[in-house]
Amino acid sequence: MSTTEVRPARPSSPSVPAGTGALVGLLSVGAALAAGHLVAGIVSPPSSPFLAVGDAVVRLSPQGLTEFAKSAFGTADKTVLLAGMAVVIAAVAAGAGLASRRSSTPGAVVVAVLGLLGFAAVAAMPAFAPLDLLAPAAALAAGLTVMRRLHALALRRAADEVRAEDGGMSRRTVLLGASAVGAASLLAGGAGALLVRGAGDSRQMVTARLAAAGFAQASAIPPGAAFPEVGTPTFLTQAADFYRIDVALRIPRMSAQDWRLRIHGMVDREVNLTFDDLMARGLVARTITMTCVSNPVGGDLISTAEFVGVDLRALLMEAGVHPEADQAFATSVDGWYAGTPVDVLMEPDRGALLAVGMNGEALLPEHGFPVRMVVPGLYGYVSATKWITDLELTTFAARSGYWLERGWAERGPIKTGSRIDAPRTSARVRAGRVTAAGIAWSQPDGISRVEVRVDGGLWRDAELATDVSGVTWRMWRADLDLGAGSHTVQCRATTGTGVTQTEAYADPVPDGASGWHAVVFTAE
Ligand SMILES: Nc1nc2c(c(=O)[nH]1)N[C@H]1C(S)=C(S)[C@@H](COP(=O)(O)O)O[C@H]1N2
Ligand SMILES: [Mo]
């Protein structure tokens, strides 16, 4: 009896040739990126997983690095970044294919991990909306499908070769499958790129036209108009940090060229406007603080920007509003609607705008590109229709706005308010001299006084920042002398006409919150 084991000569289990393996990896990831880009182009351009990952890289990079990239590559820095990303992703994809020569599982795992990265980047976008998840979902599905199907094809071909079977699957079948996937990816990715670029081009064009018209830079806000060094917001809110409220599931995408506005209803003459018509009229810049009616006492649904646009009152005068019309009913391209009191719009000094720009640039898509309404002193839900395409002069009796139908008030004047930004609730600060700071607003009369008190003691005047205008917020600060222990600071504002903010607490529903903001913190 022999002790030597005789292994039967069995054919080694089939494995995909290295080159084919790498190709399968590349094609799977390529198909994923292309599918994601195409769906994003249709649904919402920023949700392209490839672009979203790029944006996330920029946001998460240390500032020094992004500044270096800017100085080294100038405006091409984005392109350099995306090209670099493409190289890294291609290397990972080829590696994943090489690791999957026998089974497609390692490749599928890599595709899934890349897919999750895409999901995370899209979900972390500043203007994320649930429908944005469609693009990374499409990418993941395409990547996994191609990985499984192409790999199976390549493996069958390899097995046939091992068995040296005649009439087995030919090399051509694999090549054909790979070419089909490659061609489909190129088509999908190309179409996606066109769609994505179309949206971006239109915005860039508007920004360039604003620059040419002399509105590139938001006008200088006087120094001393804000106290960010002690905790207030900056005077102008960056467009990307501007609070955002809307019921749009996905941000409407409309090019400026396709935009139209019809002013009609109870008017002498219907007015029809294109974007070029708007630009041809005199543009005006107005710095305006906007507020949402849902903003609770102490809340942050309040922001300020320099808006550029066309005077809405002048347009309405051109149309000739009938005296019976008490409501200007605006509809946006996504179907949302809001009614604004005509008497407010027609106040000579109110300054209502059809805005096309914000802080020296075209509006951001999520803030109403290409055109929105802005009315100083009215909450957004009755005045600030984004993506506006229709303005009907009518009556409150005839039509009700979206939030009116849901129990909110008919007219939405912004209530006088003030907020403490420093110290923060539950903060621990050093006992001794503590600087409290915050904001106050009362449109259109402005703020003449802000008072603070500690632990229910006497009210004392805070120092007011340089006044900008009655329709913007005004910052304040006050140095307090505090012993160790828990403290409560409160603030209250007085309007330009001498009316002090009410202490009476009210919830935001139905016409805006009221009451004095209080912050409890500890000095130690
Ligand atoms: N088309 C559209 N416009 C809209 C809304 C909306 O839901 N859809 N919300 C309004 C509300 S309630 C507010 S407070 C402001 C907010 O504008 P912002 O997102 O640019 O800050 O937009 C207004 N315009
Ligand atoms: Mo709002």
Side-chain angles (χ1 to χ4, degrees):
M1 231 172 61
S2 158
T3 53
T4 358
E5 264 185 60
V6 179
R7 286 168 183 267
R10 73 180 161 93
S12 58
S13 67
S15 94
V16 175
T20 312
L23 186 67
V24 169
L26 281 169
L27 285 173
S28 306
V29 174
L33 291 177
H37 214 55
L38 177 62
V39 171
I42 296 166
V43 176
S44 142
S47 72
S48 161
F50 187 59
L51 298 181
V53 168
D55 280 337
V57 170
V58 172
R59 275 205 310 280
L60 298 179
S61 307
Q63 205 182 340
L65 189 65
T66 45
E67 262 155 28
F68 164 76
K70 274 224 164 62
S71 62
F73 305 116
T75 47
D77 58 343
K78 256 288 182 45
T79 317
V80 171
L81 168 80
L82 293 179
M85 255 174 56
V87 170
V88 172
I89 292 175
V92 171
L98 283 174
S100 311
R101 291 178 58 190
R102 276 174 217 283
S103 142
S104 68
T105 307
V109 168
V110 173
V111 169
V113 168
L114 288 177
L116 290 183
L117 214 71
F119 268 104
V122 167
M125 296 189 315
F128 169 74
L131 267 184
D132 291 339
L133 292 177
L134 278 181
L140 185 59
L144 288 178
T145 307
V146 170
M147 172 56 79
R148 276 196 29 239
R149 302 285 285 271
L150 263 192
H151 192 275
L153 217 61
L155 206 58
R156 255 175 54 204
R157 151 85 189 148
D160 288 353
E161 207 164 61
V162 168
R163 274 182 266 128
E165 263 180 24
D166 277 345
M169 234 182 54
S170 77
R171 213 176 131 68
R172 268 191 54 204
T173 318
V174 178
L175 272 180
L176 233 93
S179 316
V181 169
S185 301
L186 281 180
L187 269 179
L194 281 181
L195 290 166
V196 167
R197 183 122 58 79
D201 270 359
S202 182
R203 247 205 102 228
Q204 275 168 18
M205 184 205 73
V206 171
T207 299
R209 288 176 76 173
L210 289 177
F215 291 102
Q217 228 78 63
S219 64
I221 297 297
F227 304 124
E229 66 283 3
V230 290
T232 72
T234 53
F235 195 85
L236 293 181
T237 315
Q238 303 253 326
D241 297 334
F242 205 94
Y243 84 88
R244 175 184 168 205
I245 297 283
D246 54 62
V247 298
L249 261 189
R250 70 181 185 88
I251 300 170
R253 297 190 317 109
M254 202 196 331
S255 74
Q257 294 91 314
D258 294 339
W259 178 85
R260 297 283 183 281
L261 176 68
R262 177 167 168 243
I263 303 178
H264 63 109
M266 299 163 85
V267 294
D268 296 337
R269 295 161 286 279
E270 205 174 294
V271 174
N272 285 283
L273 293 166
T274 65
F275 196 81
D276 286 340
D277 295 336
L278 278 193
M279 295 296 288
R281 303 178 69 96
L283 293 182
V284 287
R286 290 179 183 149
T287 304
I288 298 167
T289 295
M290 281 182 56
T291 312
C292 180
V293 67
S294 304
N295 195 35
V297 172
D300 58 7
L301 299 178
I302 177 165
S303 303
T304 301
E306 187 189 75
F307 291 96
V308 172
V310 168
D311 186 73
L312 183 54
R313 177 172 180 265
L315 275 176
L316 292 176
M317 305 231 307
E318 248 175 68
V321 178
H322 294 174
E324 321 84 76
D326 60 4
Q327 178 180 225
F329 196 86
T331 307
S332 84
V333 70
D334 69 332
W336 190 79
Y337 43 92
T340 310
V342 168
D343 54 358
V344 174
L345 294 177
M346 296 312 278
E347 283 173 26
D349 297 327
R350 178 63 64 156
L353 276 183
L354 270 186
V356 297
M358 191 170 177
N359 294 344
E361 282 186 22
L363 297 173
L364 281 181
E366 61 268 34
H367 292 296
F369 181 86
V371 184
R372 76 173 305 169
M373 261 174 71
V374 180
V375 185
L378 296 184
Y379 288 122
Y381 81 107
V382 291
S383 71
T385 304
K386 306 190 262 194
W387 317 291
I388 184 174
T389 57
D390 190 282
L391 192 61
E392 180 187 351
L393 277 298
T394 177
T395 62
F396 278 108
R399 297 193 74 175
S400 298
Y402 183 93
W403 288 114
L404 198 63
E405 288 173 341
R406 288 157 179 78
W408 296 76
E410 183 172 282
R411 299 174 69 101
I414 298 176
K415 294 182 182 175
T416 299
S418 56
R419 182 184 81 190
I420 302 162
D421 291 307
R424 298 258 165 215
T425 297
S426 307
R428 297 184 164 272
V429 299
R430 183 105 55 84
R433 197 219 235 181
V434 174
T435 303
I439 58 176
W441 61 94
S442 176
Q443 293 134 316
D445 297 330
I447 293 294
S448 63
R449 183 182 199 186
V450 172
E451 297 160 283
V452 293
R453 69 173 176 187
V454 180
D455 302 328
L458 288 178
W459 289 102
R460 36 162 297 201
D461 280 355
E463 176 196 337
L464 290 177
T466 308
D467 193 23
V468 173
S469 90
V471 297
T472 55
W473 55 19
R474 193 158 183 192
M475 315 281 177
W476 57 267
R477 56 174 288 171
D479 290 333
L480 313 170
D481 202 13
L482 299 179
S486 168
H487 296 287
T488 302
V489 170
Q490 283 173 290
C491 67
R492 66 178 187 193
T494 299
T495 70
T497 52
V499 182
T500 297
Q501 180 189 342
T502 177
E503 181 180 11
Y505 177 83
D507 277 324
V509 192
D511 62 356
S514 68
W516 297 336
H517 187 206
V519 161
V520 183
F521 59 97
T522 307
E524 53 191 16

